[in-house]
Amino acid sequence: MNHEREELEQWKRRYTRKSSIFKRVSKQAQTKVNEWIPEKAHKVVTESIKKMVEVTLKGSEWVSLQAAYRPELQEREVVMKERMEFYRKAATIEGAGTGAGGIFLGLADFPLLLSIKMKFLSECSLIHGYDPKQYEERLFLLYVFQLAFSSDTHKKKVLHLIENWEDEKERLKELDWKTFQQEYRDYIDLVKMLQLIPGVGAVVGAYANYQLLDQLGEVAKFAYRIRYFHAVE
């Protein structure tokens, strides 16, 4: 397991490095825009995303815990990679289709892609022997989601939570949904805007969704690896 531990440490160092200047400037601009949006509008968007996520998670309950679980870390990660590739293909096809459809279908991509990501994370939970029907497990996978799609500052906070999950979960009674939706929206806003442009939307949509699932797959792999090592220590 020394190789896996070293790989994990390398990933943590790499993943918490500063983003490019372009990404940092984009985030600052988006934060300013968020300040101008009325609180009432933020509440509507936050509540919509919360409901969307909860519906998706409830729809993932049919997967058999016994059928999904693998005892060894390497086996788990092989199965996770297979499931990630399955969902990545689905996201790529879906992104190309909605991107080709222009603005209205492009807007429909947001809940569809969110659904694909949540289903993938629910399966990751099952593969590692955790039951996503339990509140604390749903909370954990939502923090994994945030780790994948957040600004540099928020990413470090979330990584700390995941590294200290057994202690932190006791005080985390409710997710901060407003932060959740703003971080996610800010992370993917630029690429999603490009997806709405006629003529290039399909290419951008397919590529963007492929990359976003790839990003989520990598983060999920290492987040659950952190948890695995804490459990065996």
Side-chain angles (χ1 to χ4, degrees):
M1 285 292 171
N2 287 341
H3 170 72
E4 283 80 4
R5 286 179 186 272
E6 180 55 36
E7 189 181 41
L8 172 60
E9 292 305 315
Q10 287 174 2
W11 174 80
K12 284 196 288 188
R13 287 193 294 271
R14 187 180 76 247
Y15 197 66
T16 50
R17 280 183 202 145
K18 270 190 177 180
S19 295
S20 65
I21 292 173
F22 175 73
K23 279 189 179 176
R24 294 202 300 275
V25 170
S26 297
K27 172 62 180 172
Q28 287 166 5
Q30 191 63 53
T31 301
K32 280 290 178 193
V33 171
N34 286 337
E35 288 170 2
W36 298 334
I37 297 171
E39 188 58 31
K40 193 174 179 181
H42 277 306
K43 283 181 181 174
V44 170
V45 177
T46 298
E47 197 55 34
S48 299
I49 289 184
K50 181 180 178 181
K51 283 194 170 87
M52 219 184 292
V53 170
E54 286 173 345
V55 166
T56 302
L57 290 175
K58 281 176 185 172
S60 303
E61 290 180 356
W62 59 269
V63 184
S64 165
L65 179 63
Q66 221 172 5
Y69 176 65
R70 298 291 186 280
E72 299 298 327
L73 177 64
Q74 290 90 341
E75 287 182 67
R76 296 176 190 185
E77 292 185 352
V78 167
V79 178
M80 278 178 72
K81 187 177 179 185
E82 288 169 358
R83 299 312 295 156
M84 189 271 290
E85 287 170 355
F86 168 80
Y87 282 111
R88 189 172 61 188
K89 280 179 189 171
T92 303
I93 293 165
E94 183 269 318
T98 53
I103 290 176
F104 294 110
L105 281 178
L107 292 171
D109 178 63
F110 190 88
L112 290 171
L113 182 59
L114 190 60
S115 173
I116 289 169
K117 288 171 179 172
M118 288 301 164
K119 284 180 179 174
F120 166 67
L121 285 177
S122 293
E123 290 199 19
C124 290
S125 180
L126 291 164
I127 289 163
H128 280 268
Y130 302 112
D131 186 354
K133 291 179 188 176
Q134 293 180 356
Y135 178 74
E136 68 178 54
E137 294 310 324
R138 293 185 180 211
L139 202 56
F140 182 79
L141 66 85
L142 290 174
Y143 278 109
V144 173
F145 185 94
Q146 284 192 87
L147 184 59
F149 307 115
S150 290
S151 62
D152 291 347
T153 305
H154 194 62
K155 206 156 46 178
K156 286 175 183 174
K157 290 177 187 172
V158 176
L159 182 58
H160 174 79
L161 285 174
I162 287 174
E163 288 185 300
N164 299 279
W165 182 249
E166 290 307 311
D167 297 325
E168 295 288 347
K169 70 181 181 184
E170 300 303 323
R171 67 174 188 82
L172 297 169
K173 302 300 178 188
E174 175 68 19
L175 186 76
D176 181 347
W177 285 100
K178 183 177 176 182
T179 300
F180 178 94
Q181 66 91 358
Q182 283 188 345
E183 288 288 337
Y184 179 52
R185 193 187 64 206
D186 295 357
Y187 188 92
I188 69 169
D189 252 0
L190 179 64
V191 75
K192 289 290 141 191
M193 287 297 287
L194 292 173
Q195 190 175 336
L196 305 182
I197 301 171
V200 298
V203 175
V204 172
Y207 179 75
N209 285 7
Y210 181 97
Q211 292 297 322
L212 290 169
L213 256 293
D214 216 38
Q215 170 86 346
L216 184 60
E218 180 186 66
V219 169
K221 169 185 168 180
F222 288 110
Y224 277 101
R225 191 182 287 189
I226 288 169
R227 205 167 172 193
Y228 174 85
F229 285 136
H230 282 193
V232 297
E233 280 172 357

